[in-house]
Amino acid sequence: MKAVNDGVRFILELGALAAVAYWGWRTGGSTAMKLLLAVGGVVVIAVVWGVFRSESDAIVEVATAVRIVIEVAVFAAATAALAAVGRPRLAVAFAVVAAINEILNYALD
């Protein structure tokens, strides 16, 4: 069960990056702004996740509560990004799957 949940978690992480990139591309006015928002959003999330959240090789070790806050913030940002570009059903589905995965992630440890 843990392996399946970890697989879903990986898909959620990729989905969060894709959602933020999609938001950036749809939100920006010019091509340069679209690229800045799309790539910049992905880079910010990837750096925060890699530095503080990565389970096996986080650069900065933080308490479990801080890791949970980071995870929820990233998944909430992805949910908000999807809602902001007019994909409310996808945003709700993403939020529900992320919430279930988050609960299972710590319940199965």
Side-chain angles (χ1 to χ4, degrees), residues 12 19 22 75-99:
L12 284 168
Y22 182 63
F75 294 142
T79 300
L82 290 169
V85 293
R87 303 283 190 222
R89 289 187 196 133
L90 188 55
V92 169
F94 185 88
V96 167
V97 173

Side-chain angles (χ1 to χ4, degrees), residues 50-64 66-67:
V51 170
F52 298 104
R53 175 56 196 101
S54 181
E55 287 183 29
S56 60
D57 57 354
I59 295 170
V60 177
E61 292 292 327
V62 294
T64 300
V66 175
R67 282 198 333 260

Side-chain angles (χ1 to χ4, degrees), residues 24-25 48 54 76 78 90 102 107:
W25 189 258
V48 168
S54 181
L90 188 55
E102 188 72 17

Side-chain angles (χ1 to χ4, degrees), residues 10-49:
F10 181 67
I11 292 168
L12 284 168
E13 293 167 11
L14 294 177
L17 294 172
V20 170
Y22 182 63
W23 165 83
W25 189 258
R26 292 282 311 271
T27 301
S30 66
T31 302
M33 186 55 73
K34 289 175 187 248
L35 284 170
L36 179 66
L37 290 172
V39 174
V42 168
V43 167
V44 167
I45 287 177
V47 167
V48 168
W49 196 271

